[in-house]
């Protein structure tokens, strides 16, 4: 279970960092308790969209000014600040607070001012004027244009505002009370927050449907040929700005209006078209002209002259799942260039796991930006892979963030060709100060040459989708009803170590004291999974099934033990069981045929298309699952209860074609039979942060604290924090080394004692990794120190374990007493 890092992964570094704007702190307003807008105010404030009149007061009943309402409306709609050559209103200078938002709304025709050249910036906004602004920004002609006596005070609504009042009434954003709209009443800050929150919800929904069709496309161009690939986004009022990502800018020119002009040499590129929160890929190839010189230069990327903005900027790096052990490896291995990512030298900066990175760039002042890029390395032989994507968001103030787009590529992570990809995002010029680049890190990622280019002028304000950078709410630990402690049971290989008989299971189901008297229940659930790699073939998977249902061993032996305990002891009830689906290796080219005379399945795409390979993988999973369930029903295991199915792979590799769809398809099979779908990702992997989207129902996080790398105590704290945040269970770990080696014995107790202080002995379901029969051997050991491991786990399970004051107390020191060669299980799951 312990994830081991291979020795050839050496050259990585901790990124050179400088301060950047912090995320908005949780608000502490003391005057909103009981307000009808309390929830809306808190949600908007946490996302940096709204602020109080001071740090502790929001002023919900105070009126909101026309300038503040303009800024609020622009932020929730994603309208970015705009800077014309001269101000649109005489009372809003270009350097006034919020002027960029006022100018943007004026440019888009949303705000017309008072008619005398003034905005009336510091005057309260009236309810009817707020309705007009919403109507102009998001007008939908299909709605009725008549009030039809809707309000008792309809005669007070100014003619210019009637259509706006009809619109906001129909949308349910503003309705008034007691049959009146109160058009001339001042809009309160609480009312403004309620309107803004509803708009934000609607806007995020629009962002998710910004592009009608998001399936990949293919495009072939001749040398020098030009074409336009802009998506159809006009269906949404106030359409989102389109951004274009490319993984190889040398293929030709890609302008920010979506015009592609092919270069003069054969090339290929993956272009990602982004609008709102949608994107799709255009797989582009260029056929070289025979008459042209292959080495001629490529076209410029944008028509406006650009300058480099990153040189004078500072940046800060945040790990999505920080881990001091991984950070130390980065720093010790290779510190990168002194200038950091903005260096134009050839040195790489490296990142090791921790889920991913967010790099926040501070340009120091608001700047016009039109392209952003970061170069990455692929060197599979050295364990270095390109990240699955690069996402970019911008913020004018470092508080409210907006999704600009992402850049994708189609390089297989197993591709042995050493190559670089300059992932570049081009877009219509945006005025911003802060930029956030984020990318996943599954193992090692190398990056360099961070570039932010821009300058020139902005013709129109950009319109972007709100980005969800708010901290997720705390959910608490996973607590599965009637399932408290799950033991991982490895079978199907390695002789006796992988063959469980009834005498192996009995001390795992029921705790036995030193005189072999049964005192209570130990593990209430057994998770059966392969010992070592099951050959990824039909025959290999069948052999695993044969072993699992072998008479007198494995499931059969467990059923026998539980039946005997139910008859002769106070230990009653069925033992819960979780069974495993082997992982369909995407490199496998010859899985075998599922039916007599059928064609062999290819999971790699080397023979079939990538799409067909994904279908074949799910077909194999379905065959195995159906076989597994059929055998379970036929086995007559009356003392066991099948509680769920376990997904064997410990990470979700989104760079594998169809990987997410494979997991989701498996989830539909499992959950369609009313079973739980379990998963235990390793520490530093990806996927657990949005585990529900894959279809899992129960997820446990490995801390991987029990390892040879002397992990810091912080590892357990951080894993527990993530488990609470994402509603996960956790895994506690040991293996056969604990029986013979002082270091691992002490390390186990360090883990157990730290877990006690973190509250992991209550209100959480735990999975226990214990190598192969390590606890069975501990229970039978003649050494009091080794036997104590078994006894202490029982105390933990029944709630009587007390962590000593020290990290590893003297009475918990291992029996080995020094350097003893360990008899390792060498159990590593892929």
């Amino acid at each position: 279970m312990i994830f081991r890092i291979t020795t050839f992964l050496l050259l990585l570094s901790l990124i050179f960092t400088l301060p950047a704007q912090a995320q908005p702190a949780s608000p502490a307003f003391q005057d909103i308790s009981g307000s009808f807008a309390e929830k809306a105010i808190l949600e908007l404030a946490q996302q940096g969209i709204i602020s109080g009149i001071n740090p502790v007061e929001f002023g919900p009943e105070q009126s909101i000014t026309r300038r503040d309402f303009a800024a609020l409306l622009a932020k929730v709609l994603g309208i970015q600040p705009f800077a014309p050559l001269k101000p649109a209103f005489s009372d809003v200078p270009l350097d006034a607070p919020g002027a960029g938002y006022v100018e943007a709304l004026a440019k888009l025709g949303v705000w017309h001012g008072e008619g005398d050249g003034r905005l009336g910036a510091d005057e309260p906004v009236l309810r009817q004027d707020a309705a007009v602004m919403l109507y102009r920004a998001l007008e939908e002609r299909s709605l009725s244009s008549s009030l039809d006596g809707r309000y008792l005070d309809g005669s007070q609504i100014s003619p210019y505002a009637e259509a706006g009042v009809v619109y906001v009434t129909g949308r349910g954003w503003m309705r008034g009370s007691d049959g009146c709209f109160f058009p001339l009443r001042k809009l309160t800050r609480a009312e403004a927050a309620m309107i803004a929150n509803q708009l934000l919800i609607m806007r995020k929904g629009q962002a998710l449907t910004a592009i009608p069709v998001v399936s990949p496309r293919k495009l072939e161009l001749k040398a020098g040929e030009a074409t336009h690939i802009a998506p159809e986004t006009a269906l949404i009022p106030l359409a989102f700005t389109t951004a274009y990502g490319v993984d190889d800018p040398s293929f030709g020119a890609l302008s920010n209006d979506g015009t592609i002009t092919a270069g003069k040499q054969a090339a290929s590129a993956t272009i990602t078209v982004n609008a709102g929160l949608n994107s799709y890929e255009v797989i582009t190839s260029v056929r070289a002209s025979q008459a042209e010189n292959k080495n001629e230069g490529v076209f410029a990327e944008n028509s406006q002259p650009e300058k480099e903005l990153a040189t004078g900027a500072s940046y800060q790096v945040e790990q999505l799942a920080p881990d001091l052990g991984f950070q130390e490896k980065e720093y010790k291995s290779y510190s990168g260039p002194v200038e950091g990512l903005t260096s134009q030298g050839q040195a790489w900066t490296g990142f090791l796991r921790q889920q991913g990175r967010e790099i926040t760039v501070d340009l120091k002042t608001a700047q016009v930006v039109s392209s952003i890029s970061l170069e990455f390395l692929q060197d599979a032989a050295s364990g270095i892979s390109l990240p699955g994507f690069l996402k970019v968001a911008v913020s004018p103030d470092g508080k409210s963030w907006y999704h600009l787009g992402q850049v994708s590529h189609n390089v297989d992570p197993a591709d042995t060709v050493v190559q670089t990809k300059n992932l570049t995002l081009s877009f219509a010029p945006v005025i911003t100060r802060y930029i956030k680049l984020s990318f996943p890190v599954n193992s090692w990622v190398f990056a360099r040459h961070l570039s932010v280019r821009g300058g020139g002028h902005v013709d129109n304000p950009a319109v972007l989708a709100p980005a969800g950078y708010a901290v997720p709410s705390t959910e608490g630990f996973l607590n599965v009803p009637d399932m408290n402690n799950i033991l991982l049971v490895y079978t199907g290989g390695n002789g006796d170590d992988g063959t469980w008989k009834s005498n192996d299971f009995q001390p795992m189901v029921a705790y036995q004291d030193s005189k072999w008297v049964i005192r209570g229940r130990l593990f209430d659930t057994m998770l059966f999974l392969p010992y070592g790699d099951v050959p990824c073939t039909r025959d290999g998977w069948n052999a695993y099934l044969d072993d699992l249902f072998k008479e007198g061993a494995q499931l059969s032996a467990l059923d026998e033990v539980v039946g005997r305990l139910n008859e002769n002891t106070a230990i009653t009830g069925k033992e819960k069981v979780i069974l495993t689906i082997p992982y369909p290796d995407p490199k496998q080219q010859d899985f075998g045929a599922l039916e007599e005379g059928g064609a062999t399945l290819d999971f790699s795409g080397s023979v079939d298309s990538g799409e067909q390979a994904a279908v074949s993988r799910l077909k194999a999973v379905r065959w195995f699952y159906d076989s597994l369930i059929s055998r379970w029903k036929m086995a007559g295991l009356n003392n066991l209860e099948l509680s769920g199915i376990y997904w064997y792979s410990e990470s979700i590799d989104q760079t594998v074609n169809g990987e997410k769809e494979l997991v989701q398809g498996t989830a539909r099979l499992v959950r369609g039979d009313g079973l739980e779908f379990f998963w235990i990702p390793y520490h530093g992997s990806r996927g657990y942060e949005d585990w529900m989207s894959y279809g899992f129902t129960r997820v446990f996080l490995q801390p991987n604290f029990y390892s040879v790398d002397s992990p810091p105590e912080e590892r357990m704290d951080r894993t527990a924090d993530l488990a609470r945040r994402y509603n996960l269970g956790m895994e506690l770990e040991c293996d056969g080394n604990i029986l013979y080696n002082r270091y691992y014995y002490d390390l186990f107790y360090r883990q157990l004692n730290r877990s006690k202080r973190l509250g992991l002995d209550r209100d959480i379901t735990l999975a226990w990794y214990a190598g192969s029969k390590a606890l069975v051997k501990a229970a039978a050991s003649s050494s009091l120190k080794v036997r104590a491991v078994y006894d202490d786990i029982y105390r933990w399970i029944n709630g009587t374990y007390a962590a000593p004051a020290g990290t590893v107390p003297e009475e918990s020191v291992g029996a080995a007493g020094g350097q003893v060669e360990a008899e390792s299980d060498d159990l590593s799951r892929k």
Side-chain angles (χ1 to χ4, degrees):
M1 190 68 170
I2 308 301
F3 189 90
R4 298 181 175 88
I5 304 173
T6 50
T7 56
F8 56 75
L9 298 174
L10 296 176
L11 300 177
L12 262 293
S13 69
L14 182 66
I15 191 166
F16 176 75
T17 63
L18 291 171
Q21 186 79 4
Q23 292 292 330
S26 298
F29 301 132
Q30 300 174 1
D31 58 349
I32 62 173
S33 179
S35 169
F36 67 91
E38 180 179 1
K39 182 179 179 181
I41 292 168
L42 291 174
E43 290 181 354
L44 292 169
Q46 189 172 18
Q47 296 180 64
I49 293 174
I50 202 168
S51 58
I53 57 177
N54 60 54
V56 296
E57 292 181 300
F58 181 76
E61 300 306 316
Q62 293 186 22
S63 60
I64 187 169
T65 66
R66 292 163 65 85
R67 173 167 39 203
D68 288 347
F69 186 70
L72 178 60
L73 179 62
K75 287 181 179 180
V76 296
L77 294 178
I79 301 171
Q80 301 303 293
F82 181 66
L85 296 177
K86 61 179 183 178
F89 306 106
S90 61
D91 58 342
V92 185
L94 293 179
D95 58 352
Y101 294 115
V102 170
E103 296 295 346
L105 293 180
K107 178 68 175 179
L108 294 173
V110 175
W111 197 268
H112 294 166
E114 297 283 24
D116 58 358
R118 297 171 53 254
L119 175 68
D122 296 321
E123 298 173 9
V125 65
L126 302 182
R127 284 172 54 84
Q128 69 174 9
D129 289 341
V132 170
M133 291 183 70
L134 297 174
Y135 176 62
R136 288 174 179 164
L138 299 166
E139 177 181 2
E140 294 180 26
R141 297 291 185 181
S142 60
L143 295 177
S144 171
S145 60
S146 173
L147 287 172
D148 293 328
R150 173 68 172 80
Y151 295 111
L152 297 176
D153 57 354
S155 61
Q156 298 179 25
I157 300 172
S158 302
Y160 74 86
E162 285 187 5
V165 173
V166 169
Y167 176 62
V168 298
T169 298
R171 293 303 301 259
W173 294 335
M174 299 177 67
R175 289 176 178 167
S177 60
D178 300 325
C180 296
F181 184 77
F182 304 110
L184 303 180
R185 181 181 291 179
K186 299 172 184 177
L187 188 73
T188 68
R189 289 170 55 81
E191 290 173 328
M194 286 293 292
I195 295 169
N197 199 47
Q198 293 176 86
L199 284 177
L200 186 61
I201 294 171
M202 178 213 68
R203 198 60 173 152
K204 287 185 176 179
Q206 289 182 336
L208 291 169
T209 56
I211 303 175
V213 180
V214 294
S215 56
R217 297 111 195 255
K218 292 185 177 180
L219 178 65
E220 293 186 359
L221 298 173
K222 294 183 293 186
E225 183 181 358
T227 190
H228 200 58
I229 61 169
E232 173 56 59
T233 59
L235 298 176
I236 294 178
L238 198 63
F240 295 98
T241 298
T242 305
Y244 300 91
V246 61
D247 66 342
D248 184 3
S250 67
F251 84 100
L254 174 59
S255 66
N256 53 41
D257 67 353
T259 300
I260 300 176
T261 305
K264 297 181 179 180
Q265 63 185 43
S268 62
T270 298
I271 298 172
T272 311
V273 181
N274 302 269
L277 295 174
N278 283 165
S279 67
Y280 62 85
E281 295 179 5
V282 180
I283 311 302
T284 305
S285 59
V286 177
R287 300 195 306 273
S289 171
Q290 296 181 355
E292 299 292 346
N293 186 335
K294 181 178 179 180
N295 296 317
E296 287 196 20
V298 301
F299 289 79
E301 193 168 305
N302 288 299
S303 58
Q304 291 192 48
E306 293 183 320
K307 61 180 180 180
E308 182 59 64
L309 306 176
T311 305
S314 64
Y315 64 87
Q316 177 176 318
V317 178
E318 179 181 356
Q319 299 85 4
L320 298 185
D323 180 272
L324 293 179
F326 291 149
Q327 292 172 27
E328 186 176 2
K329 278 180 176 287
E330 292 176 353
Y331 182 73
K332 284 184 176 179
S333 298
Y334 177 56
S335 59
V338 174
E339 302 89 347
L341 287 174
T342 59
S343 169
Q344 293 306 301
Q346 299 308 302
W348 294 94
T349 297
F351 307 96
L352 173 60
R353 297 202 184 121
Q354 302 172 85
Q355 188 177 321
R357 299 296 186 276
E358 287 182 350
I359 303 173
T360 305
V361 180
D362 181 0
L363 299 177
K364 303 300 184 180
T365 60
Q367 305 266 8
V368 176
V369 179
S370 54
S371 72
I372 299 163
S373 66
L374 189 59
E375 188 177 5
F376 295 96
L377 173 68
Q378 168 98 348
D379 186 353
S382 298
I384 304 164
S385 298
L386 296 169
F389 54 81
L390 175 67
K391 288 186 178 180
V392 181
V394 295
S395 173
D397 55 11
K399 299 176 182 178
S400 51
W401 289 90
Y402 300 90
H403 178 71
L404 191 54
Q406 74 174 40
V407 191
S408 303
H409 62 83
N410 278 286
V411 177
D412 188 327
D415 191 334
T416 57
V417 176
V418 177
Q419 57 190 297
T420 63
K421 287 290 183 181
N422 194 339
L423 302 186
T424 302
L425 193 69
S426 299
F427 41 89
V430 174
I431 299 175
T432 194
R433 173 174 172 176
Y434 300 97
I435 300 165
K436 191 186 298 287
L437 299 88
S438 59
F439 52 88
V441 181
N442 291 326
S443 182
W444 291 95
V445 167
F446 275 30
R448 68 182 180 188
H449 298 166
L450 170 63
S451 175
V452 179
R453 301 186 65 82
H457 62 276
V458 177
D459 295 324
N460 291 291
V463 182
L464 305 175
Y469 281 102
V471 177
S473 61
T474 299
E475 297 290 345
F477 289 128
L478 172 66
N479 191 345
V480 183
D482 300 320
M483 185 181 290
N484 300 309
N485 293 278
I486 305 169
L487 178 65
L488 276 61
V489 177
Y490 288 87
T491 67
N494 295 278
D496 289 341
D497 280 344
T499 302
W500 285 66
K501 298 294 184 66
S502 57
N503 60 330
D504 298 318
F505 277 121
Q506 180 157 315
M508 299 296 97
V509 176
Y511 169 72
Q512 301 174 163
D513 66 17
S514 59
K515 296 181 179 180
W516 302 105
V517 176
I518 293 174
R519 297 297 186 184
R521 194 67 174 254
L522 197 59
F523 297 103
D524 53 41
T525 307
M526 300 292 172
L527 165 55
F528 286 81
L529 65 171
Y531 192 165
D533 290 331
V534 174
C536 186
T537 63
R538 183 183 186 277
D539 291 343
W541 287 14
N542 246 336
Y544 173 65
L545 281 173
D546 291 340
D547 181 82
L548 192 61
F549 290 95
K550 182 165 54 178
E551 186 67 29
Q554 326 302 31
L555 289 169
S556 173
L558 178 61
D559 182 67
E560 176 191 340
V561 166
V562 178
R564 188 168 63 241
L565 290 171
N566 284 340
E567 292 177 0
N568 303 314
T569 73
I571 306 297
T572 60
K574 294 185 177 183
E575 183 79 2
K576 288 175 282 295
V577 167
I578 304 167
L579 302 178
T580 297
I581 293 178
Y583 180 65
D585 187 350
K587 299 177 184 178
Q588 175 59 272
Q589 299 180 20
D590 185 13
F591 176 80
L594 299 183
E595 60 279 330
E596 189 71 29
T600 186
L601 297 182
D602 174 22
F603 299 164
S604 69
S606 60
V607 177
D608 297 323
S609 66
E611 291 78 8
Q612 184 57 45
V615 171
S616 295
R617 295 176 74 204
L618 182 57
K619 185 182 296 184
V621 166
R622 182 186 296 273
W623 166 82
F624 180 87
Y625 175 75
D626 289 343
S627 301
L628 179 68
I629 297 302
S630 176
R631 291 205 188 194
W632 173 268
K633 292 177 179 178
M634 293 172 56
L637 304 170
N638 298 323
N639 300 299
L640 306 182
E641 174 189 336
L642 181 57
S643 296
I645 301 296
Y646 176 68
W647 182 250
Y648 187 61
S649 178
E650 297 180 18
S651 64
I652 304 294
D653 188 350
Q654 296 182 359
T655 63
V656 175
N657 183 43
E659 187 79 354
K660 185 170 185 176
E661 291 75 13
L662 171 66
V663 180
Q664 291 172 330
T666 307
R668 283 190 288 272
L669 292 176
V670 173
R671 299 177 69 173
D673 284 340
L675 297 173
E676 303 277 13
F677 194 29
F678 291 82
W679 187 43
I680 310 179
Y682 63 78
H683 183 82
S685 67
R686 289 188 58 82
Y688 63 81
E689 71 282 1
D690 60 343
W691 55 269
M692 285 185 287
S693 71
Y694 294 94
F696 296 116
T697 57
R698 310 296 187 190
V699 177
F700 301 78
L701 190 58
Q702 301 177 42
N704 299 131
F705 183 84
Y706 183 86
S707 68
V708 74
D709 298 318
S710 300
E713 300 288 343
E714 178 267 355
R715 171 74 63 80
M716 294 299 298
D717 299 51
R718 177 59 182 166
T719 306
D721 177 63
L722 290 172
R724 285 193 196 93
R725 178 178 298 187
Y726 295 110
N727 193 214
L728 311 176
M730 279 181 60
E731 180 179 272
L732 298 184
E733 303 155 341
C734 67
D735 63 9
N737 285 312
I738 200 172
L739 307 174
Y740 314 103
N741 187 292
R742 170 68 175 267
Y743 171 80
Y744 287 101
Y745 188 97
D746 290 351
L747 189 60
F748 170 74
Y749 275 98
R750 281 178 58 201
Q751 173 190 225
L752 202 64
N753 295 341
R754 193 70 178 181
S755 298
K756 173 72 175 180
R757 295 187 180 95
L758 291 169
L760 302 185
D761 57 339
R762 58 185 185 275
D763 300 327
I764 182 174
T765 299
L766 296 173
W768 293 80
Y769 167 75
S772 176
K773 301 186 184 179
L775 298 184
V776 176
K777 296 171 185 176
S781 176
S782 60
S783 166
L784 296 180
K785 298 281 190 183
V786 174
R787 163 75 194 201
V789 173
Y790 176 70
D791 296 333
D792 282 336
I793 288 179
Y794 174 65
R795 294 187 184 101
W796 177 282
I797 287 175
N798 73 13
T800 61
Y801 180 81
T807 303
V808 183
E810 186 176 352
E811 62 268 26
S812 294
V813 171
Q819 295 295 326
V820 178
E821 185 176 354
E823 296 182 17
S824 173
D825 287 309
D826 194 25
L827 184 59
S828 178
R829 283 165 45 211
K830 305 300 182 186

